[in-house]
Amino acid sequence: MTFKVFLQYILPHRALSRVVYWATRWTFVPWKNFLIGQIVRRYQVAMTEAAQPDPFAYPHFNAFFTRKLRPDARRADPAPDTLISPADGRISQAGPIVDGRIFQAKGQDYTAAELLGDEAAAAPYRRGRFVTIYLSPRDYHRVHVPMRGELKETVHIPGRIFSVAPFAVEAIPRLFARNERLVCHFEGEHGPFAVVMVGAILVSSVATVWDGLVIPPYASSIRRKSFAGQNISLERFSEMARFNMGSTVIVLLPEGVAELDALVPQQPIKVGERLGELRHT
C-alpha cells in the first residue's frame, strides 16, 4: 500500500469535506479569486464554454465550479435512440454486469446490490450494462439524464468519502460501493435505469433539480424518498443534478436495454455524446 492510499484510510473524511464545503462558499474576494485562479490555470478550464466566461465574476468558488455552460456548448447526439453521456469527464470503466458484479479496476469489483444498497433493486441489473464516468476539477459538473425517464425514488446511502481519482479506484476495494452516494432510480421507455452520484473526499456535496441540496447533511443510515405519482419526468439530456465539486457518475441499465459502444478507460467524454444504442423492445 502506498502512502497516498494509506492516507485515504486515516484522514477524517467528513470533517475535511465540511471545511471545504464552507471554504468554497466564502465570498471574500481575494480568497475566492485565488481558488478559482488556481483551478483555471492548473487544469486549463475552458471558460469560453461558460455562460459567464469571466471566472472572477462568480460570487464564490462553488458558483464557479457549478457554472452553467452556453446553450450551444453541449449538444445531445441527434439520433433519438442513442444512450448519451450524463457528464463531462473520462470513462473509468464500462461494459457488462456479470452475475451482478461491476468491474471497478484491475483486480477490483463490487456488486450492484452493494452499490444500490438493495438486493431487490439490483435484480434488474444482474446481467445488464454499466458506465462509470470520472469528473476531474476541470470538467463541467452538472449531470444530465442519459435517456428520458420518470423519477421513481432516490436513496441516500451513507459511507466513507474516499478519493475517486484513478490511484484510489485501482487500490481501494469496492470503493464506489463504500462511498457516500445518491442513487436515482428512473423508469424509462425501455425499463428501469439508475444514475448513481458518488461522493468523494472534499467533494461530497450533491444537489438535484427536484430537491435542491441533498448531501450534506451526511447520512447515518439509508434514507429513501419516493417520488411515485409525482410525475417528475425528465427529457433526455435534461439537467438532473450537480456535484458541488467533482466526483463520479455511474449509470446502470438492465439486460437488453442498450448495446454500448467500444468505450475504453480514460476515454474523454462530454455531456450528450453517444455511449451506445438503445434497443427497441
Side-chain angles (χ1 to χ4, degrees), residues 121-177:
Y125 308 108
R126 183 171 177 79
R127 293 182 178 84
R129 298 291 183 270
F130 79 97
V131 180
T132 304
I133 299 172
Y134 167 65
L135 291 75
S136 78
R138 77 182 306 271
D139 293 314
Y140 168 62
H141 283 83
R142 300 192 181 199
V143 177
H144 297 235
V145 286
M147 57 180 165
R148 185 180 183 278
E150 182 178 343
L151 180 68
K152 294 299 184 182
E153 182 184 43
T154 61
V155 186
H156 179 184
I157 303 175
R160 299 295 301 273
I161 317 177
F162 292 115
S163 169
V164 293
F167 82 89
V169 172
E170 293 172 2
I172 298 175
R174 302 170 39 255
L175 186 153
F176 299 128

Side-chain angles (χ1 to χ4, degrees), residues 77-84 146-147 189-190 236 257-259 274 276-280:
D77 187 278
D81 290 333
T82 53
L83 178 74
I84 61 172
M147 57 180 165
E189 296 173 353
H190 300 265
R236 173 179 179 263
V257 166
E259 186 65 38
R274 175 187 167 113
E277 185 172 353
L278 298 172
R279 294 175 174 174
H280 292 286

Side-chain angles (χ1 to χ4, degrees), residues 43 85-93 131-141 162-169 175-176 198-201 203 243 246-250 265-270:
Y43 293 98
S85 175
D88 280 17
R90 290 183 177 271
I91 300 295
S92 176
Q93 297 290 340
V131 180
T132 304
I133 299 172
Y134 167 65
L135 291 75
S136 78
R138 77 182 306 271
D139 293 314
Y140 168 62
H141 283 83
F162 292 115
S163 169
V164 293
F167 82 89
V169 172
L175 186 153
F176 299 128
V198 182
I201 193 165
V203 294
F243 285 113
S247 196
T248 291
V249 178
I250 303 173
Q266 300 308 309
Q267 173 183 332
I269 195 78
K270 292 186 183 298

Side-chain angles (χ1 to χ4, degrees), residues 110-127:
Y110 56 94
T111 69
E114 290 173 322
L115 180 69
L116 302 180
D118 189 324
E119 289 279 357
Y125 308 108
R126 183 171 177 79
R127 293 182 178 84

Side-chain angles (χ1 to χ4, degrees), residues 198-256:
V198 182
I201 193 165
L202 308 184
V203 294
S204 57
S205 180
V206 175
T208 65
V209 299
W210 52 81
D211 252 354
L213 188 66
V214 179
I215 308 172
Y218 300 113
S220 57
S221 60
I222 292 178
R223 299 174 181 172
R224 300 179 181 276
K225 185 170 183 179
S226 174
F227 293 88
Q230 297 188 31
N231 297 317
I232 300 178
S233 293
L234 297 179
E235 294 298 324
R236 173 179 179 263
F237 191 59
S238 297
E239 182 183 337
M240 60 167 282
R242 69 184 67 172
F243 285 113
N244 298 308
M245 303 286 279
S247 196
T248 291
V249 178
I250 303 173
V251 177
L252 301 187
L253 304 168
E255 182 178 13

